[in-house]
Amino acid sequence: MSGEESTLLARALIEFREAEGISERELARRTWLSEATIRTFERDRGDLPTPIVARSFEEVLGWAPGSIKTAPSEAMGREASADSAMDLE
């Protein structure tokens, strides 16, 4: 993800949360992702999301499917398994 793309995603996630008046925890609940994942992308570390993470963000933000560039498929196994094991409290 280019610096500009990751900055756009970070800004969009933060602006969405502020507009909705929700916490990172609530955004995590709505996207079925971990709070750590939300923090990673809001803090714009330049990471590429997995396709699953990207699709969750696209859905909550109302963006078209495929509008967020994703990580190569070989990285998917590690990241996807971490999010599927998140706590759903």
Side-chain angles (χ1 to χ4, degrees):
M1 179 176 275
S2 76
E4 187 176 315
E5 290 172 321
S6 66
T7 299
L8 175 65
L9 177 58
R11 198 173 303 141
L13 291 170
I14 292 166
E15 288 175 2
F16 175 81
R17 277 196 318 99
E18 289 174 351
E20 293 287 312
I22 62 172
S23 65
E24 288 176 346
R25 180 180 204 121
E26 176 59 17
L27 181 56
R29 188 192 68 75
R30 290 185 186 188
T31 58
W32 292 85
L33 300 171
S34 68
E35 287 180 66
T37 297
I38 301 301
R39 280 191 295 275
T40 294
F41 290 99
E42 282 193 357
R43 283 160 184 72
D44 189 18
R45 296 181 182 151
D47 297 340
L48 286 170
T50 63
I52 292 168
V53 171
R55 185 64 190 126
S56 293
F57 287 153
E58 290 164 349
E59 286 178 5
V60 78
L61 294 170
W63 292 4
S67 61
I68 297 175
K69 186 176 176 182
T70 60
S73 59
E74 65 186 2
M76 269 181 58
R78 290 189 316 272
E79 292 180 28
S81 64
D83 268 321
S84 63
M86 75 163 225
D87 66 330
L88 298 176
E89 296 175 30

